Amino acid sequence: MTDGRLAMTRRSLLRASGAMAATIGGLGALAGCGIPPAGRTDAGRSEDHSGAEKRINFSNWTEYMDVTDDGKHRPTLEHFTKRTGIAVKYTEDINDNDEFFGKIQAQLAAGQDTGRDLIVLTDWMCARMISLGWIESLDPANLPHAYSNLTPQFRSPAWDPGRAHSYPWQGIPAIIAYNKKATGGRKVDSISQLLEDPKLKGRVGFLSEMRDSVGLTLLDMGKRPEDCTADDFDAALARLQKGVDSKQIRRFTGNDYTTDLDKGDLAACVAWAGDVVQLQNDNPDIGFAVPKDGYMTSTDNLMVPNKARHKQNAERLIDYFYEPKVAAKIAAYINYVCPVEGVREELAKIDKKAAANPLIIPDQETAEKSHSFRALSAKENKAFTQKFSDLTGA
């Protein structure tokens, strides 16, 4: 198992970029999301040099791949190279979705090779890049394991139907976490409890990520985040505002909630599952609950950018990650939701506790409770984001 700071570092980096972004499908929404509009590029597939050049350039986030204890080797990538003869140049150069987009935007807009064959970005950014025509369509013939072993939970997102351009790297659930000492041993398992239980007053945290905090509140109200109207959004915001005004909510946080939860300064809060798994490794008083009405999930996703020089090699690597034995090694290290069917048995050989953890391998009942926030237009995103910022004081 990795130690806790790795998952926490990864989470803080991801959500720092996601808090103000929209999950959108149309080009008109770009200007409303902090990125200037760019013309759609339908450059067509470039010549693939995979046969002659046995290599892949792979960009990912920091601390998002298994490594040996000395930090000198990446076992799964090295095994792939040994098996296929394809060398992987692995670069941890994604620290923020918007920042990384800025690195490659000009090249993609001009129909040029970015120098990368495989990238990992968050779902809302994936939607944006696919809508711009900047991501290659994947060849199912090169992805037999991925096609067969992708879990139903992640099989066909609205922004990439049928996974024509992407495959999930990891799932990132937002749930409820609590400190048993701080709650007097009581379980906290609903948003209503967070917002209304007087015994928790002043010791409750919500996330500064709009889609997670508002989405969970909508679910508690019997509303689907996938279908929410402006009125639904306002009603959820009003509930949260009441929690702020009454001092029930201590604060809205990024990843920094982990320290307060660990110490008990926060008795309960909305939390990201990867952080909870890591906290539990060191603190047995940390508990979690999946609300009966459901929880929110986002994904990081593997994609091949336009004009990639080694597309087929990249597809072979994606498919390799969907072999259960390989996926288990990554899951044991990362501790987020593994999107690969059949991984539980393999993960149990490495770490039985992880294999039994529904935050890493959701059972069917847990997976069916997963929800995602619907796509927002530019106008909606601007309005929703401003209202949420006014609430949180951001």
Side-chain angles (χ1 to χ4, degrees), residues 80-366:
F80 174 79
T81 297
K82 184 177 180 180
R83 181 201 289 185
T84 64
I86 299 171
V88 182
K89 181 182 179 182
Y90 185 77
T91 308
E92 294 180 326
D93 61 344
I94 304 178
N95 294 312
D96 177 285
N97 283 286
D98 287 323
E99 177 187 73
F100 185 74
F101 183 95
K103 287 182 182 180
I104 61 178
Q105 178 182 12
Q107 292 163 298
L108 289 169
Q112 299 172 353
D113 178 12
T114 66
R116 298 167 176 87
D117 303 302
L118 192 61
I119 59 178
V120 177
L121 293 172
T122 310
D123 42 24
W124 57 267
M125 180 59 78
C126 296
R128 184 179 300 179
M129 295 184 70
I130 291 169
S131 75
L132 286 165
W134 290 353
I135 300 299
E136 294 272 7
S137 296
L138 300 174
D139 186 347
N142 296 328
L143 298 160
H145 294 98
Y147 182 81
S148 297
N149 295 335
L150 176 59
T151 59
Q153 180 180 358
F154 301 119
R155 190 162 285 276
S156 190
W159 51 268
D160 188 21
R163 289 289 179 182
H165 304 85
S166 69
Y167 270 88
W169 174 244
Q170 300 292 309
I172 307 156
I175 57 171
I176 293 173
Y178 56 96
N179 185 307
K180 297 172 189 176
K181 281 188 176 180
T183 65
R186 293 182 307 121
K187 184 176 184 179
V188 180
D189 60 4
S190 73
I191 296 299
S192 292
Q193 194 174 355
L194 287 179
L195 290 173
E196 299 167 9
D197 186 342
K199 293 182 179 179
L200 300 177
K201 185 173 181 177
R203 298 183 297 152
V204 169
F206 276 76
L207 293 170
S208 56
E209 163 52 39
M210 179 183 74
R211 286 162 181 79
D212 287 336
S213 287
V214 175
L216 282 165
T217 305
L218 286 165
L219 288 168
D220 189 72
M221 297 165 63
K223 304 288 186 178
R224 282 172 45 86
E226 293 89 343
D227 308 320
C228 84
T229 65
D231 287 343
D232 293 335
F233 182 87
D234 287 346
L237 223 59
R239 285 193 73 196
L240 292 169
Q241 185 67 61
K242 184 177 179 181
V244 171
D245 294 342
S246 67
K247 309 296 184 184
Q248 179 79 7
I249 298 175
R250 184 186 185 108
R251 63 192 182 101
F252 289 82
T253 73
N255 177 253
D256 51 328
Y257 70 85
T258 53
T259 300
D260 286 347
L261 181 63
D262 189 43
K263 293 191 299 184
D265 292 341
L266 283 176
C269 62
V270 176
W272 288 302
D275 291 342
V276 176
V277 174
Q278 296 295 342
L279 285 170
Q280 287 181 319
N281 288 336
D282 299 319
N283 186 346
D285 290 319
I286 301 299
F288 74 89
V290 175
K292 64 180 179 60
D293 296 304
Y295 63 99
M296 301 300 294
T297 302
S298 59
T299 54
D300 285 340
N301 307 274
L302 296 151
M303 302 189 300
V304 178
N306 274 5
K307 298 296 181 179
R309 191 173 176 88
H310 311 106
K311 177 176 182 286
Q312 187 172 3
N313 289 347
E315 290 170 334
R316 291 183 69 181
L317 183 56
I318 293 172
D319 197 60
Y320 169 75
F321 290 138
Y322 274 78
E323 296 179 21
K325 287 185 178 180
V326 177
K329 293 177 182 177
I330 295 171
Y333 187 85
I334 295 177
N335 293 161
Y336 290 115
V337 171
C338 180
V340 181
E341 282 280 291
V343 77
R344 189 188 304 274
E345 182 177 329
E346 295 299 332
L347 182 55
K349 297 175 183 177
I350 303 171
D351 188 326
K352 290 183 179 180
K353 184 178 178 182
N357 193 328
L359 299 183
I360 299 174
I361 312 292
D363 54 30
Q364 183 176 348
E365 181 181 359
T366 302

